[in-house]
């Protein structure tokens, strides 16, 4: 996989230009699945690599669909679907190196997939068995963060540490269009710029922050916001996995070669509800979704694969089979996911212990044990 | 053993920590060339460089949020919040992120972040520069909260806080910054979270921490002239709190008055009163009394002497407790 970019030399300009009032998207694959070139970002992938991206997106979509079903069946308390954002997540996730560090929000199931995080790990917090539940350092994939935008500061601090260590890794912080309004994101931009931190801010602008459209978050295109902080921003077609991959790779490369932060706005669309408790029919028109369906990231790549003769029926059948197997593994895994032990309430509150926690743990254990005594007594 | 002000003792603790552990970093507003508005970091940037003593943008949430990220990368950030009332922009990061990270990661990551906050009143400052928000932090699981009352504790407690793998909110009583005391940097310190009886007595226990320990010591000295023997307990740590030491004292004296600058309502004193009543019900000769701030914003400087618990208010509570 090779990526050529001149973005590094155009640090102050940013990548996108205005045309007809709307910023131009970096695009390498049109909604019709036609391969196009871009003056600043290009990418050259083997058929195998292209099929890999397709597989990632299909399996991620299937995992997501399964999670929605599991929520409807009462197996999960809540689910935040990524439907429609597969290209933004797979493209950016596949742009990272193993030694890079990813700070997700709570919808980055596709990014987690690219980091080899077991999909079942993602379901624990939605099932209510933990508040995170995985070791962030195992795959350099931080815990999901629910308070909007908080993790952009953690990513920036981590990136400051990377720079201090003299490492050539980069950090990527995910957030949404709604989070871009948060003070923490502005402070993260400030710190990243001031300390030239090797961090890429990756905003998935999926057009809706629950019921509020992007116009309620920003009066300028989000990618332009970085200019005021002194680093470049670029808007990429978030439904074009090739463009997202190329742009994110260039941004990460820029970061790891000491050229500082960059903002990538992946212009995409949340096809489903914000979460399973949300009802998008109350605030957005069906026609809007229908328009975006025409830009579906998976169909787009499939059209291209077929046009180039890179995949045949047998290949698609094998992906379907793999999807079914993944879905079954997820289903079975969730249903057999054990409830945490009651005493887990008191675990890991502190690393070095705490007298009050010890006292309350002992008291509660004694209280619980008193019921066992009663049973024995009868 | 040398004689140092609390400010110098804190400076020395930071210096020793920077010297001992290359992962220790200082972060905060004006802590570099200026040495902090209270000069606690005086000379440290000159000696350890801008990479380790970091002047930050004026953004408290950013300071704490990036400190969390640095901790995730293996650093031990020591953050300075310039004044008590300025911690609130960072309160979200402290409460929703810093305090919970270890638990959320099922113990797989540690958060050795120390947040130093000059707090409390008595220096004639303007609004937001004299508050005592310690209870708001002690209430949060995952945080540890301590406050030294003298230079020796300031030195060792800060070193222990920086060594701790949990987030520690380190409240520095700013009006004691210039008080001098003996500091033994070679001594083996006691446990960070252990309270200390700073004056033995038999008639009543005064429990306090941070700036109020000195006031209680003065009250005990004044009461002694009237033939009353007051015991003074310096709590040192608010979370966890050493109730055993308070209990032992109250079982001896049978009376307890708690003194703090923070508003009394739902404050640290309320927690101590409830627990000590539970533990010492049959020992108590009088209800546990509290002396502290009012349920009102910290007043303008010209009124702070009326607002702050002073000798007279403490002795009045002692009289009331002894009258039972």
């Amino acid at each position: 996989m090779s990526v050529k970019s001149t973005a590094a030399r155009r640090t102050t300009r940013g990548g996108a230009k205005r045309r007809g009032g709307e910023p131009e998207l970096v695009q390498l694959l049109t909604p019709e699945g036609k391969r196009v070139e871009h003056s600043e970002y290009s990418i050259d992938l083997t058929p195998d690599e292209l099929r890999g991206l397709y597989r990632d997106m299909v399996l991620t979509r299937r995992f997501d669909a399964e999670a929605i079903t599991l929520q409807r069946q009462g197996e999960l308390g809540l689910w935040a679907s990524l439907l429609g954002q597969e290209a933004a997540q797979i493209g950016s996730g596949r742009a990272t190196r193993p030694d890079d560090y990813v700070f997700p929000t709570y919808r980055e199931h596709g990014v987690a997939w690219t980091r080899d995080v077991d999909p079942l790990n993602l379901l624990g917090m939605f099932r209510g068995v933990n508040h995170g539940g995985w070791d962030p350092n195992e795959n350099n994939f931080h815990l999901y963060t629910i308070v909007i935008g908080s993790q952009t500061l953690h990513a920036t601090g981590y990136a400051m540490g990377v720079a201090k260590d003299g490492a050539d890794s980069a950090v990527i912080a995910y957030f949404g269009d709604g989070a871009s309004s948060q003070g923490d994101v502005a402070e993260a931009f400030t710190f990243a710029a001031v300390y030239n931190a090797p961090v890429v801010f990756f905003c998935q602008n999926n057009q809706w922050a629950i019921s509020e459209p992007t116009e309620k978050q920003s009066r300028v295109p989000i990618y332009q916001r970085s200019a005021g902080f002194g680093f470049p921003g670029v808007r990429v077609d978030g439904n074009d996995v090739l463009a997202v991959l190329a742009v994110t790779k260039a941004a990460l490369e820029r970061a790891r070669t000491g050229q500082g932060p960059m903002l990538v706005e992946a212009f995409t669309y949340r096809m489903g509800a914000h979460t399973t408790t949300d009802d998008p029919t109350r605030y957005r028109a069906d026609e809007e979704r229908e328009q975006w369906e025409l830009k579906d990231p998976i169909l787009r790549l499939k059209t291209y694969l077929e046009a180039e003769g890179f995949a045949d029926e047998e290949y698609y059948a094998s992906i379907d089979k793999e999807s079914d197997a993944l879905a079954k593994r997820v289903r079975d895994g969730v249903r057999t996911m054990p409830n945490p032990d009651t005493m887990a309430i008191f675990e890991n509150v502190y690393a070095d212990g705490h007298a009050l926690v010890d006292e309350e743990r002992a008291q509660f254990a004694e209280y619980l044990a008193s019921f066992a005594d009663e049973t024995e007594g009868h | 053993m040398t004689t140092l002000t609390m400010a110098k003792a804190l400076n020395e603790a930071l210096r020793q920590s920077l010297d001992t552990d290359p992962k220790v970093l200082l972060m905060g507003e004006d802590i570099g060339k200026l040495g902090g508005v209270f000069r606690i970091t005086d000379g440290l940037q000159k000696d350890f460089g801008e990479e380790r003593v970091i002047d930050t943008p004026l953004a408290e949430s950013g300071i704490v949020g990036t400190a969390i990220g640095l901790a995730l990368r293996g650093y031990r950030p020591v953050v300075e919040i310039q004044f008590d009332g300025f911690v609130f922009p960072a309160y979200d990061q402290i409460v929703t992120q810093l305090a919970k990270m270890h638990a959320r990661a099922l113990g797989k990551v540690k958060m050795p972040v120390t947040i130093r906050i000059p707090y409390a009143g008595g220096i004639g400052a303007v609004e937001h520069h004299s508050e005592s928000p310690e209870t708001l932090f002690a209430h949060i699981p995952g945080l540890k909260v301590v406050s030294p009352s003298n230079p020796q504790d300031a030195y060792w407690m800060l070193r222990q806080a920086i060594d701790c793998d949990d987030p520690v909110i380190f409240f520095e009583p700013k009006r004691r910054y210039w008080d001098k005391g003996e500091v033994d940097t070679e001594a083996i310190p006691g446990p960070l979270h252990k309270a200390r009886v700073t004056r033995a007595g038999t008639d009543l226990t005064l429990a306090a921490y941070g700036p109020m320990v000195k006031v209680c010591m003065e009250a005990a000295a004044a009461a002694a002239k009237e033939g009353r023997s007051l015991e003074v307990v310096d709590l040192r740590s608010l979370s966890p709190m050493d109730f055993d030491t308070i209990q032992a004292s109250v079982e001896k004296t049978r009376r307890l008055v708690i003194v703090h600058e923070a508003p009394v309502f739902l404050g640290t004193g309320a927690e101590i009163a409830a627990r000590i009543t539970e533990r010492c019900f049959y020992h108590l000769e009088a209800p546990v009394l509290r002396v502290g701030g009012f349920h009102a914003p910290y007043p303008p400087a010209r009124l702070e002497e009326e607002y702050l618990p002073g000798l007279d208010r403490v002795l009045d509570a002692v009289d009331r407790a002894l009258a039972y």
Side-chain angles (χ1 to χ4, degrees), chain A residues 61-116:
Chain A
R61 180 172 287 187
R62 181 59 182 269
F63 163 69
D64 186 73
E66 200 60 36
I68 292 171
T69 305
L70 286 163
Q71 194 279 333
R72 298 290 183 237
Q73 293 170 349
E75 299 288 348
L76 300 176
L78 182 80
W79 184 245
S81 167
L82 67 29
L83 184 65
Q85 298 175 224
E86 295 86 353
Q89 296 197 12
I90 297 300
S92 58
R94 285 290 173 215
T96 62
R97 286 193 329 211
D99 61 309
D100 293 339
Y101 215 102
V102 176
F103 285 82
T105 171
Y106 47 77
R107 201 190 295 280
E108 271 66 74
H109 323 312
V111 185
W113 172 264
T114 67
R115 302 295 299 182
D116 294 328

Side-chain angles (χ1 to χ4, degrees), chain A residues 88-273:
Chain A
Q89 296 197 12
I90 297 300
S92 58
R94 285 290 173 215
T96 62
R97 286 193 329 211
D99 61 309
D100 293 339
Y101 215 102
V102 176
F103 285 82
T105 171
Y106 47 77
R107 201 190 295 280
E108 271 66 74
H109 323 312
V111 185
W113 172 264
T114 67
R115 302 295 299 182
D116 294 328
V117 175
D118 187 335
L120 276 170
N121 280 349
L122 306 177
L123 300 172
M125 68 183 286
F126 293 101
R127 187 169 172 85
V129 303
N130 58 48
H131 290 310
W134 61 86
D135 179 352
N137 294 323
E138 210 163 273
N139 303 92
N140 283 9
F141 186 81
H142 190 65
L143 303 169
Y144 277 179
T145 298
I146 290 181
V147 179
I148 301 295
S150 294
Q151 75 283 358
T152 57
L153 279 168
H154 309 161
T156 301
Y158 193 95
M160 288 162 64
V162 169
K164 281 183 187 305
D165 293 344
D168 74 341
S169 314
V171 177
I172 183 165
Y174 287 85
F175 62 107
D177 41 308
S180 75
S181 299
Q182 287 281 356
D184 274 3
V185 173
E187 294 190 20
F189 285 4
T190 296
F191 275 69
V194 165
Y195 299 111
N196 203 45
V199 57
V200 173
F201 296 105
F202 192 92
C203 179
Q204 287 172 89
N205 176 1
N206 69 9
Q207 313 301 326
W208 293 93
I210 306 189
S211 69
E212 295 192 5
T214 311
E215 302 87 81
K216 284 272 169 20
Q217 314 298 336
S218 181
R219 300 313 300 250
V220 298
I222 287 172
Y223 80 94
Q224 289 179 357
R225 287 180 151 200
S226 61
F229 294 86
F231 57 91
V234 60
R235 179 179 275 185
V236 61
D237 184 337
N239 287 21
D240 172 355
V241 70
L242 301 188
V244 174
L245 179 61
V247 167
T248 314
K249 261 193 174 289
L252 288 166
E253 191 55 25
R254 195 178 171 282
R256 63 167 63 95
T257 51
Q259 297 173 81
M262 184 161 165
L263 171 62
V264 176
E265 177 191 0
F267 202 74
T268 182
Y269 192 72
R270 185 236 294 158
M271 300 294 289

